[in-house]
Structure formats: C-alpha cells, structure tokens
Amino acid sequence: MAITQAAKTTFEVDNVIQPIFTGGSVALENGARILASTLGEDAVLTELTTGKRLAEIEGDGEPISTLTITPSASHLIVCSRSLTMRIYALKVSPEFDSVEATLVRTSKPHATPVVVLAVDRTSTLLATGAADGAIKIWDIVGGYVTHTVSGPSVLISALHFFEIAATAVDASSDRRPKKGSRKNQTDESEARVVDSKFRLAWGTQDGKVRIFDLGKRTTVPVYADTKRKREAHESNVQSICYSPEQHALLTGSRDKTMTLWLWRNDGWSGTPMLRHELVESVGFLNEGKWMYSAGESGLLRIWDTTTHHEITAEQDAKAEGESIISTAYLPHKSLILCAQSDFTLALYRVPSPEMVASSPELLMEPFRRISGTHDEIYDLAYLLPDQSMMALATNSEDIRIISVANPETKTKEADGSSYFGYDVALLKGHEDIVMSLDVDWSGHWVASGAKDNTARLWRVDPANDSYTCYAVFTGHLESVGAVALPKVVPPEDSEAFKNPLDHPPTFLISGSQDRFVQKRIIPRISEQGKEASSLRRLAHEKDINALDISPSGRLFASASQDKTVKIWDTDRLEVQGILKGHKRGVWAVKFAPLHTPAIQGETGGAVSGKGVIVTGSGDKTIKLWNLSDYTCLRTFEGHSHNVLKVAWLHIPTEENAKKRIHFASAGADSLVKIWDANLGETECTLDNHEDRLWTLAVHPQTNTLVSAGSDSKITFWKDTTSETQAAATEAATKLVEQEQELENYIHIGAYRDAIVLALQLNHPGRLLSLFTNVVTTNAPEEGSLCGLRAVDQVLASLSDEQIFLLLLRLRDWNTNARTAPVAQRILWTLVRSYPAGKFSNLSVKGARGQKSLKEVLNALKVYTERHYKRMEELVDESYLVEYTLQEMDSLAPPIGELSLGEGEEDRNSCVLDQAMSKRHASEALEELMGIGSPASKKSRFDDYDKSLTPVSANGNGDAQSINGAVRDEEREGHDDGFEDDEPDEKAPIRQSAPTEGYDDLYLDTIDRNVLDFDFEKLCSISLSNINVYACLVCGKYFQGRGPKSHAYFHALDEDHHVFINMSTQKVYVLPEGYEVMSKSLDDIKYVSDPRYTRQEVLEFDRKPRTSRTLLGKEYTPGFVGMNNIKENDYLNVIVQALSHISPLRNYFLLEDLNKNPELVKRTSILFRKIWNPRAFKAHVSPHELLQEIALRSNKRFTLTVQSDPVEFLSWYLNNLHLGLGGSKTKPHSSPIQHIFQGKLKVESQAITAKADALDRLRFEEAAEVKVDVTRFLLLTLDLPPAPLFQDELEENIIPQVPLTNILSKYNGVTAQELNAQRKRYRLMHPLPPFLVFHVKRFSKNKFVSERNPTIVTFDARNLDVSPYVEPDPAYHPPGEPIWYDLVANVVHEAVRQKEDVADSAVGEERKTWKVQLRDKATDEWVVAQDLFVDKIRSELLYLGETYLQVWERRREPPKGKGRA
C-alpha cells in the first residue's frame, strides 16, 4: 500500500566553501597533506590536496600568536595572546577525511606571549620564543622543559633546529692524525657513535643571531664583524635555515639583506646579498646548492649558493596584497608554500637542475592558489554551459574564479588541484573593489562593475586557460553598483549558439551611484578596439542598486535607493512603468523566467500577459508585481532585516504546470528563505551563515542554491524535495503497515507482540489500553503478576531501551489518579521480574540519558508515595462519613410522631422508610419527600424560602403537605425558648458572578500608584496574617471578605470595592462577593507575586534589557534600589549581592518554596521582585523579610539598629541552609553549601616556653604539626596595620595593598601566631563555584573600636587562586591557573556626623554601606546604595574601602573539535 505525502520543499547543505586562513602562522607536515593555519582565534587543519577541512580547534577567546605542526603530524601546538600554549595530539582517520585533535596539555610557557615556534625533524623537541626574549626547549610528549636559553630582553623573531654532523666539526680542527693511524681509526669510530649534534639557531628583533648547543648548553654568537662585534643584521631576523650538505647557515632580515654564513676558522663568516626588498623568508634548495628568498615584492627568487647570483629572471614587484609574509619548504615534495598578505596561499614547484639549465630566464609562478578567505562576497555567478565554475566578486579588485564541478565527475589531477572550490584563475583589471557580476546565456562572458567607475566584459575560456578582459566601459562618474547582460539564447543552428566564445553579447546595461543607467553596444570580435556606442539616461533620484534584463531581452528593470523600481525599454531606454510601494530602498529585482505558469495574486486573479517581476527591499518585504498594469500582486513578509537578493528557482515546464512556483530571497538577517509565489508563504528557511547575505545564485538544471555574504562562507544548498517526499511516503507507508499489524495483534489477543510493537511505535495510548485490558480482565490467570502470563513474559524479557521507554510511560500514567492503578500494577510486575539493581544500572545512551533515568525513577517514587498517602486519607475520611451519616439519621423524627391524613399515612410511611434507609450521603435531608429537617446555613439568604417551597403530597399544590403540617405544629407550640417578637436576621445577597453587562464595574477605581506589596501582609485593623486581602484602591491590607470581615466593612464605609487575595491572587468585588475575571488585572497579580520561566531566567545574564515604571522611569531588572527603612542598609547590600549570584538567584526564582520555612519563602519573594521586569516602581522594600529575620534572630538583626554585614551574612546563609533542608553535619546538603562551601587545610604547631641554664625563657616549637581540614563559607583576609605617622600635609596616609598580598595568608607557607600556636592555611580542591572574601577592617578592644582605612587594589577579572590551592590532579591540572571574576563588592563609607567640631578628627563617624554589582549581560558595573543606583567604571571599583567580595569561578572553555 502506497501513501502519497504532500510535497514539502526542502533544501540541505551540500557543500560549504569556508575560510581557512585569515593571517598569522601556517605550517605543513612532511607529507604535504595537512595544512595548519590560523583562522582568527581558532586553528584549522585542512587537507591540502582536496581542500577539505579536517578539523577546527576552538580558541581560548584570544587571538592566536603562532602555531605549528610537527613534521610527523603527531601534534599541533597553538599559542595565543592569553599566554597559554596548548598541545593537541592528532589522530588521522584511515580515509584521511578527518583529524581528531585531543588536547593533551595546556601550560603557560612564558610571562609574555609566544611569538615563534620551532620543531625538530624528529617531532620530539619544541622551541618557544617569547616577546621578552626568553627561549625554552620542551619535550613535546613529556611536556617538560629540557633547556632554558637566556638572552636579551628583545623579541625573538626566528627559531630553527638543525643538526651538525660530527665530522663537520672535526674537519675544522687543526690537529689531524696521520692517515691509517690507530688514533684516526678510534676517532672515526667515535664519530660514528656520536651521530649528530643538535643546535638551535635564533634571531631577535634587533638583528642578533645566536646558536645554542643543546649538548653543551652554550650559546655562540654570529657576528657580521667579529672584531667589532657587529651584529649579523640591523633589523628583525625573520628567517633562519641550515644546510647540512654545505654546513652553511642562511638568514633573512627586514634590513633588506639575506646573508649566507659559512664555518671558517672556528667561526661563522657571512656574505650579505639582496639589498632591495624586505626579506621575510629564506631557505636552501637542491641539497644546499641553491637558495631562495621571499618578501615584500611578492616574488619567489632562487639564488646560486656558490656564485651568489640570482637564477630566476628579473621581474617587477607584484601588488602590495601579494607580498609574501612566510614560507614552508618540503624538500622531498619539491614544494614551497607561500602565505601572502592578502590571505592567499600560493604553491610553487621547485625547478629541477635540468629545467634551470635549459631555461635562461626562469620565472617562478605559482601552479596553484588557495584563497585563505574570500572576505566579504558581494556577488557571484555560475560560469560555462555546464556551470562547473563560479565567479566571485569579493572585497578585492580582482574577480576570483573557482571550480564547483562535482569531484566524482571530474578527472582528478596528480597534484590534487581539482577539488571542489579550488581557485582556477584571477581576473585582474579593475583598480578598486568589484561590486557586481552578471553572465550571459553561455556562461563564457562575464560583466563586472566596480568602484573604479568602470564596467568590464571578460572572456572565460578554461579549455585554453584563457581569462581575458574583452572590453572596458567608462562614462560613469561614481561607483558602478549594477551590471546586466542579455540572456536570450540564440537559435541552435546559429553560429552564435555553436561558438559562443567568438560571439559576445550584443549590449551591456550598467547602473551607478551617479543615478544614471547606461547601455553600451558591445563590439564584435572583428570590431574590437573601436569605441562602443552608448545610450545614457538619468534613471533615479538616488543610487542604483540592481539591474535585471527580461528573458526576452526587450525590457530591463532598475532598482534604486529612492524606493522605486523602473521598467525600461532596452532599445530606446524609455521608461515603460514605475513600481511604487516599498517603504525603503530596493536592493534586488528579478524578472520571472520564460514560460512561467499563471500566478495567483492576493485578490485571486491569475497573472497573464507580460509576466511578473519580484523585488526585495530594505523595508524587510518582497513584492511580486504584474508587468501588465504594474500593480503589486502580493507582499511577502518574513525577513527580520533588509532583503538584499532575490532569485527564481527552476520553473516547471508546461507539462508539470501543477507544481508550485518558488523563488528564493537572502537578507541581512543571514537567512535564505524559499517562498511559494502562489500561496505567499515561506516554504522553508535555510540557516548556515553568521552575517548578512549579499548574493544568491541558482543552478539552472539541479536547482542548487548558492548563498554568500559577509561571513566569507559560500554555501551550496541541494534541493532535496523529491528525496524528502519519497522518504516521508515510505515512512508513512511503513507506519500504516505497523499500525495495522498492531491492530491485528490486538484483535487476536497476541499481547506479547502487541506490547513490543506499541513500545516500538511509541503509542502510549494503545499501550495503556493494552495494559488496562490485561489488568482489569475478568479472568486473571493464576500465578500471573499482571493478569496474563504471556504479558509477564514480555515484561520480563525487555531490553534496557524498552524498559526505559516503558518507565517513561509509567511515569506519565502514574501522575493521573485515573490511570495510576494500571501503572502501579505494571510497575509492580517490572519490579518483581528484575533484580533490584537492574533499574539503577540500565544501559541508557549518553550522560543525559542517565540523568533522565534518575529523574524518571524519582518521579515514580514521588507519585507512588502520593497515591499511598491519598489512599490512607480516603480510609480515614470514610470513618468520618460513616459517623456523619449515623448522626444525620438520628435527626429524623420518628414515623409515629408525624400527624398524617388518613389516606396518606401508610404511603408516606413507606416513602419515609425508603428514603431514610437508602439516602445517599450527598443528598440533603429536605430533598426527600415530606421529611422535615432543621434549616441549613443557606437559610440566611432572602430568596432561600422561595427555593424551598414544599411539594404537595398529592401533586396538586394543596397545603396539606407534611412540611406544612409540621410547621403548623411548631407555630402552635411556644415551648422552644424563642421569643415571638425577635425579628429574623437576614444575610445580605451575595453574587457568584457579576451582573450581565457590568463585568468591569469598579475596575476604573484601581490606583496602581499606591499599590506596594513589599510590606508584611498584616491586616491593618486586626494585625492578623490569616486570609489577608489588599484593597486595590488605597493599598491597605484587610482580613477576610465575608459579611462581617474588615474588608467587607471597608468596602461599605470607604466605597472601595476591588480586593485581591494575597495568597491565591484572586480578585473580588465587595460587598457583592464575586470574583473578577479580567486580563487587565494580570499586571497587578504579576507585581504581587512575579513568576518566571527557565528561559527568562537564563536570559537575565545574556541579553541586556531595560524596563519602565508606571511613571516612565527607566530601570534595569535586577539593579533596583532597596528602601533603607531606618538602619537596614547592612541587610540591603547583602541581599543585593546574593541576588546576583546566578545559581542562588535561579534557585529562588524557579523553585516552588511554599512548603519551606517563612524565611526561605520571603527571600524567594524578594529576589523575584528585585528581578521583576514589570514593576510599578524602580525600587523594592525588604520590610517583609526584615520582620521575619528579626523574629528568627531574636531581634539580633533589626531595621532600627545597624549591624555588621559579615555577621548578618553568616547568620543568613546558615539559616537559609537549614531552611532548605540542609544538615548540620553532612556537607553539601543544600544549595547554599553547594555554592559557597569549600575546604581549608589548617596546619598548627604549638609554641612552648622553657627556662635555659641561666633561668631565661626560651621559646621552642613543638616538633609535631597537627593537620586539620575544616569547611568554610567565607574567608577572612587580614589587612596590614595602618601607618602611625602623618604625611607633610598633616593628614593620615591612606595605604594601599594588592588583594593578592593579603590572599597570601592561604598559600600554605605564610604562618600566623595565634593562641600560642603557629598556623598555616591552604585551600583544598574542590573549590566552590563562588568565593566570599571578608576584608577584616574593624577591630575592637575594651577601650576603643578602630577602623583600618587601607585600600585593597584588585582587578575585577582574572583573579588566579591556584597559588593558594593544594594541587590535586584529580580536580585540576597542576600549574594551570584557576580564574575567578568579581561578582559583587560591598564597600564601607565613613560619614562624619558632627562637621562643626573644631577638630575634625574628634567628629563621630557613622557607617554606611553600598554594593557594586556586575551586569553580566552588558559587562558593566553598577553601584547601589539604598535607593541610589548608578553605573560605575570598573577601574574605580577599588577606590572605596572594600569590606566583602564575592568572586565567581570562570567556567572552563568547552572542549571539542568545532565551534558551538
């Protein structure tokens, strides 16, 4: 059975051409296949022969200073400006299509950035040269330093490992033994044993060259003049190379010299050459017989080592962008890779000696170019009839031509230069950036417009390797931003169709920023060189952005920044129509192809006649226009930024006219959208770019879509509509077959197969139905756990994945009381069928699966306990129901006491007996026929008597009813103690809903300006906190809403009618008593009790946001003022600081804490109000929290007496810990301890005093050192004593001390004497996510309280606490920094109270507190002091008297191959 699915247009990424090099270092391994290059902050590994990206190593957030790859491709070394060096182990896949890079080591090699690297030929030693002149040699595998080379404090600019043969050194010795002597034989044998001697040559920025002997650990200088000790060069030494065959050294410098050094007379003697260009790289070729140099001229030159003459022919210097900045030479591949300043990698072949001998003028030209990055791509177009090439207009004056042929269908060359995306040629001619491109029907002719005010026509003939400029068109006064060529296909039997290379297009249209359009007649081949005729028209009022010629060639369209599109006649350049409707400049225009089927407009009419045209604008819309009357057919909306390009997809032929008609658009929102022209809807959105898209192109045969823009990335989108539809049809068919199979299993009762298939199909409803039938079967099989033994066997033989899936379903069913019995029965069967450890050790794929398994089991446990508790409560309530029924039965009068008529006594007696015996518990007694009962509570309503009008016994309304008789008897007897003259008390009328038409009655009386829900919810009259309502008119709190409540009387007395329940957030109107259901009150409910989603909370630290109060004042949520009621500023700063600790804040904002103690609940409410984005006021009041704190602390912390913030913080954290279920003995038992608690190692040693021989006291230290490990929530830092003397202005000196100095207390070395003991402190792993530092600034004694005014200096970022932590490789690699960033800083300020005292020093000081907070969303700092909130520069944070600091541990960068 085949099922046809609805067609859905889909595209998938087929190929991506992306940048691999943006300047910096490049390196090749010996196989010349893996290229390591720098891409901004990342490192990229590329397969050189195929151009495929093998791996991308994400950086550490700082630019890469240098990198290299070992010759054996075993390791990649990356150094960055962050002073770190990362070593990756490389593992190449067998197919050589990917490389797995594993970070094996991260270290900080130098105090300054590493600027140059070198690896020896064995791939075991690594040399690093830093900007401060330090050099270190490392063992790559071991990761340790083998040598340290000391030098001047000058930047190291070049490094090179080489080996000197032992015989070469011996040959320089004057003492040579005679031939054949025993000593000579001995020396030769020793020379064979000592195979080679390793050296490291290095050059500096000031021209020095030195050679370091790794065996002797000595350094030998290389001087240009040994006697005068003149250095080898006068400027940067950029390159060093050594030839073992010639025993010669070659250096190149930016002093425009290349020097050849030969070993003579126990020293290096140099010969300088090349005095006319800055030399960037040098090397030896042909076993040292030749030399090469490269530099700013962009030329690769070859020199003869013996004669010092240049072998290559003299050439002119190339353009500045082609200057060479570095090279890499592979001798066994005869290949030289040159990196150019325009980020192009050029590959040169080293000529053979025969080629040099046969060619007197040798020219070195690259045989292949690799564009490291195409930079910003403004336009692109397919070339050639088979669309196997593509022309790119990039941020350059050259047009790049690349290959986009399918690698499978193209013969691959031996050098691998025929891969997808390789550079074929450059079209050179323009003098400024090329802005636009267009091609003719054949793809052999390319038109271009550039900022040099010219347009050019290019002839592309790849068969003859010819890429030439055919014609240059001038005449525009400003940049040519658009060009267009006709695409009319000539007849197949014409010469123009058979030989398009000799028949250029007939004309070219160009548009410029000078607002003119120009038509140029293109000369024929025979007329080339003649001046082309032209027509010129002033077309628009602003820049012309785009041009397009209709498929017939009779019309062309121009789109301008003046918001209009004009349709022109191509012959006379006359306007045929103007398209108006866009609200901003039009960026793109495109005619529909020939034979386009009829398109439906928004009004329903089909378009016919001249066809349609589509335009894209800066107003984020696309419009479809009718060329018959130049009206807008349809407007397409969906882009969130400018629409910069539009293109029609392949239009179906007339036979397939029923297919949908699509076009594509690209915008500055980095998205490509596919649109249905008839429906006006988006078919799909394609997202693979990171910046604005400038251009689109469509393959005419395969419908492949190509997009490119500012992110230097070219994406090829393959049309997978048919494949997607076929796959969907196949999946739907298979699903129907499986569902039918499931129905068959259910029908025949094959529960085993049905359950397995239902699990496989993920049909929870069918599965529940199956289990329900099994569990509730009328004839359960004996010995079965669930009801059927076959089902027991199925449940006992499930795989781990099936068990996990079934547990997920049981979890969902267990949450519903209706389906819980079935879930409990199946769960019981599972538990009985497997051992106890099976469920905790299920093999679920991935760490996330294990976490989900834990959550599922926990949910099953929680709801199971809830069901058991519910059953127990039902049993308890059943006793109460039975008791109530018995008591109600006793209220009915005996049957014999009823006075009945003669004909009705027997009948009513039977009815009464039947009613009393079968009465249901939920039935009211008075609803039974003729049975009197006491009046219910509802009798206090006026209309209650009417609703209880008795029904006559005979059904005709007679007054002879039983109730009537009973009431008459009651009226006759007055022995019940009630007075006759006492009036009946009537209860007021209450409404359950507002009167129709008066839904919003009284809502206009609400005054939001007086509402303040921050104060404690106490009735303003009774001071009770039970059932409190807030008046939304005056803002006061009242208790209850019943007829005798304070809120009810307030509504009558003050005419205030709208109240909100502070617990349920329901709004009522009093005295009517009905609930108000109005969305207009949602803002009040939200302010009273703000609630957040997880996504909203996560965005607090990611997206900057501002809000406005009722009065229009702007504020930032989370950074609001806090009311200082009297002296509670010490609490304000602590609460503000804690509310910016992300995990603590997120916990209090998201978790439901209603069942926790009051302190936790009020803390949660205050945190939620601080981060409220819809607050009525830009401040909050901690009054409600303060009242609870005063109660819990026995008035130790109140709002009337100022306390110490650190003392309050300690008490607050400990009580929150206990309130959240924390233990006093078990560590990390609450979120508080998870966030703040750490471990501290304390070493203590007793100090004793003994008398010596002269009876003098001598202090000695005990030999035993006691080690204790304690836990902490905050760390105390001691300030050095303040100076006692005054400066020359007779003012006290305010000293400063770095934070790292006072942190040395915890380095495990600094000792302190306390209580006859010497103690040392050291932090231990694992460190808490947040560290709290208390700077001990106040000290007290019996006489006076002193304040230390010392200022603590610090950097708000990059606090490295690794020196203060006991190393533990299990938690953190030793030697690596542990970074913490400042989150909050509590500052003390001393304010003098008596300024009029003559001696200012005598004036009393009052403490004030403020807190500095970091806004993570904007990385800015905010200072908050009570109601005052303002921004502050990070450089000014330490100027105050720091008292308390909260530091957050920086998260480790993600590890993996690609960027997230």
Short mmCIF file of all heavy atoms in Angstrom, two decimals, residues 450-454 473-480 510-516 518 536:
data_model
loop_
_atom_site.label_atom_id
_atom_site.label_comp_id
_atom_site.label_asym_id
_atom_site.label_seq_id
_atom_site.Cartn_x
_atom_site.Cartn_y
_atom_site.Cartn_z
N ALA A 450 32.58 48.02 -10.86
CA ALA A 450 33.45 48.21 -9.71
C ALA A 450 33.40 49.65 -9.23
O ALA A 450 32.79 50.53 -9.85
CB ALA A 450 34.88 47.81 -10.07
N LYS A 451 34.09 49.87 -8.11
CA LYS A 451 34.16 51.21 -7.54
C LYS A 451 35.12 52.12 -8.28
O LYS A 451 35.24 53.30 -7.91
CB LYS A 451 34.59 51.11 -6.08
CG LYS A 451 33.50 50.62 -5.14
CD LYS A 451 33.92 50.74 -3.69
CE LYS A 451 32.78 50.36 -2.76
NZ LYS A 451 33.16 50.51 -1.34
N ASP A 452 35.82 51.61 -9.30
CA ASP A 452 36.69 52.47 -10.11
C ASP A 452 35.92 53.17 -11.22
O ASP A 452 36.51 53.68 -12.17
CB ASP A 452 37.84 51.66 -10.69
CG ASP A 452 37.37 50.51 -11.55
OD1 ASP A 452 36.13 50.35 -11.72
OD2 ASP A 452 38.22 49.75 -12.06
N ASN A 453 34.56 53.15 -11.15
CA ASN A 453 33.64 53.84 -12.07
C ASN A 453 33.62 53.20 -13.45
O ASN A 453 33.18 53.84 -14.42
CB ASN A 453 34.00 55.33 -12.21
CG ASN A 453 34.05 56.04 -10.88
OD1 ASN A 453 33.59 55.50 -9.87
ND2 ASN A 453 34.61 57.24 -10.85
N THR A 454 34.09 51.97 -13.59
CA THR A 454 34.10 51.32 -14.89
C THR A 454 33.35 50.00 -14.82
O THR A 454 33.18 49.41 -13.75
CB THR A 454 35.54 51.03 -15.36
OG1 THR A 454 36.15 50.08 -14.48
CG2 THR A 454 36.37 52.30 -15.39
N PHE A 473 34.33 49.65 -20.24
CA PHE A 473 33.31 50.67 -20.48
C PHE A 473 33.41 51.74 -19.40
O PHE A 473 33.30 51.45 -18.22
CB PHE A 473 31.92 50.05 -20.48
CG PHE A 473 31.76 48.91 -21.46
CD1 PHE A 473 31.78 47.60 -21.02
CD2 PHE A 473 31.63 49.16 -22.81
CE1 PHE A 473 31.65 46.55 -21.90
CE2 PHE A 473 31.49 48.11 -23.71
CZ PHE A 473 31.51 46.81 -23.26
N THR A 474 33.62 52.96 -19.84
CA THR A 474 33.69 54.10 -18.93
C THR A 474 32.50 55.01 -19.18
O THR A 474 31.68 54.77 -20.06
CB THR A 474 35.00 54.86 -19.14
OG1 THR A 474 35.05 55.33 -20.50
CG2 THR A 474 36.19 53.97 -18.88
N GLY A 475 32.41 56.07 -18.44
CA GLY A 475 31.33 57.02 -18.62
C GLY A 475 30.60 57.36 -17.35
O GLY A 475 30.02 58.43 -17.24
N HIS A 476 30.65 56.47 -16.36
CA HIS A 476 30.02 56.77 -15.08
C HIS A 476 30.93 57.64 -14.23
O HIS A 476 32.16 57.54 -14.31
CB HIS A 476 29.69 55.47 -14.34
CG HIS A 476 28.51 54.73 -14.91
ND1 HIS A 476 27.23 55.21 -14.84
CD2 HIS A 476 28.44 53.54 -15.59
CE1 HIS A 476 26.40 54.35 -15.42
NE2 HIS A 476 27.12 53.34 -15.90
N LEU A 477 30.33 58.47 -13.41
CA LEU A 477 31.10 59.38 -12.56
C LEU A 477 31.31 58.82 -11.15
O LEU A 477 32.11 59.36 -10.41
CB LEU A 477 30.39 60.74 -12.49
CG LEU A 477 30.17 61.44 -13.82
CD1 LEU A 477 29.44 62.75 -13.62
CD2 LEU A 477 31.49 61.68 -14.54
N GLU A 478 30.57 57.78 -10.82
CA GLU A 478 30.72 57.18 -9.49
C GLU A 478 30.70 55.67 -9.63
O GLU A 478 30.69 55.12 -10.74
CB GLU A 478 29.61 57.67 -8.55
CG GLU A 478 29.70 59.15 -8.21
CD GLU A 478 28.73 59.54 -7.11
OE1 GLU A 478 28.52 58.73 -6.19
OE2 GLU A 478 28.17 60.65 -7.18
N SER A 479 30.71 54.98 -8.50
CA SER A 479 30.83 53.52 -8.50
C SER A 479 29.72 52.87 -9.31
O SER A 479 28.55 53.29 -9.24
CB SER A 479 30.78 52.99 -7.07
OG SER A 479 31.81 53.53 -6.29
N VAL A 480 30.09 51.83 -10.04
CA VAL A 480 29.13 51.05 -10.82
C VAL A 480 28.64 49.92 -9.92
O VAL A 480 29.38 48.96 -9.67
CB VAL A 480 29.76 50.51 -12.11
CG1 VAL A 480 28.75 49.69 -12.89
CG2 VAL A 480 30.31 51.65 -12.96
N SER A 510 24.48 49.11 -17.45
CA SER A 510 25.16 49.39 -16.17
C SER A 510 24.43 50.49 -15.44
O SER A 510 23.87 51.41 -16.05
CB SER A 510 26.63 49.79 -16.41
OG SER A 510 26.71 50.95 -17.20
N GLY A 511 24.43 50.41 -14.11
CA GLY A 511 23.84 51.42 -13.25
C GLY A 511 24.82 51.84 -12.18
O GLY A 511 25.59 51.01 -11.69
N SER A 512 24.79 53.11 -11.80
CA SER A 512 25.82 53.64 -10.94
C SER A 512 25.22 54.47 -9.82
O SER A 512 24.02 54.78 -9.80
CB SER A 512 26.79 54.49 -11.78
OG SER A 512 27.67 55.23 -10.96
N GLN A 513 26.11 54.83 -8.89
CA GLN A 513 25.70 55.74 -7.82
C GLN A 513 25.48 57.16 -8.33
O GLN A 513 24.95 58.00 -7.60
CB GLN A 513 26.78 55.77 -6.73
CG GLN A 513 26.85 54.48 -5.92
CD GLN A 513 27.86 54.57 -4.80
OE1 GLN A 513 28.53 55.58 -4.63
NE2 GLN A 513 27.99 53.49 -4.03
N ASP A 514 25.88 57.41 -9.59
CA ASP A 514 25.60 58.74 -10.16
C ASP A 514 24.18 58.86 -10.68
O ASP A 514 23.83 59.85 -11.32
CB ASP A 514 26.60 59.05 -11.28
CG ASP A 514 26.52 58.05 -12.42
OD1 ASP A 514 25.62 57.19 -12.39
OD2 ASP A 514 27.36 58.12 -13.33
N ARG A 515 23.34 57.78 -10.43
CA ARG A 515 21.90 57.75 -10.72
C ARG A 515 21.58 57.55 -12.20
O ARG A 515 20.44 57.64 -12.61
CB ARG A 515 21.21 59.02 -10.22
CG ARG A 515 21.38 59.26 -8.72
CD ARG A 515 20.91 60.64 -8.32
NE ARG A 515 21.76 61.65 -8.92
CZ ARG A 515 21.42 62.93 -9.04
NH1 ARG A 515 20.26 63.35 -8.57
NH2 ARG A 515 22.23 63.79 -9.62
N PHE A 516 22.60 57.30 -13.03
CA PHE A 516 22.40 57.11 -14.46
C PHE A 516 22.45 55.62 -14.79
O PHE A 516 23.19 54.85 -14.17
CB PHE A 516 23.49 57.83 -15.26
CG PHE A 516 23.25 59.31 -15.40
CD1 PHE A 516 23.66 60.18 -14.41
CD2 PHE A 516 22.60 59.83 -16.52
CE1 PHE A 516 23.45 61.53 -14.52
CE2 PHE A 516 22.39 61.18 -16.63
CZ PHE A 516 22.81 62.05 -15.64
N GLN A 518 23.19 53.18 -18.20
CA GLN A 518 23.92 53.35 -19.45
C GLN A 518 23.87 52.04 -20.23
O GLN A 518 24.14 50.96 -19.68
CB GLN A 518 25.38 53.75 -19.15
CG GLN A 518 26.21 54.08 -20.36
CD GLN A 518 27.55 54.67 -19.95
OE1 GLN A 518 27.60 55.64 -19.22
NE2 GLN A 518 28.61 54.07 -20.42
N ARG A 536 22.45 56.89 -22.58
CA ARG A 536 22.60 57.23 -21.17
C ARG A 536 21.37 57.99 -20.72
O ARG A 536 20.91 58.91 -21.40
CB ARG A 536 23.87 58.07 -20.99
CG ARG A 536 24.34 58.23 -19.55
CD ARG A 536 25.78 58.74 -19.55
NE ARG A 536 26.31 58.90 -18.22
CZ ARG A 536 26.36 60.07 -17.58
NH1 ARG A 536 25.92 61.16 -18.17
NH2 ARG A 536 26.86 60.12 -16.36
#
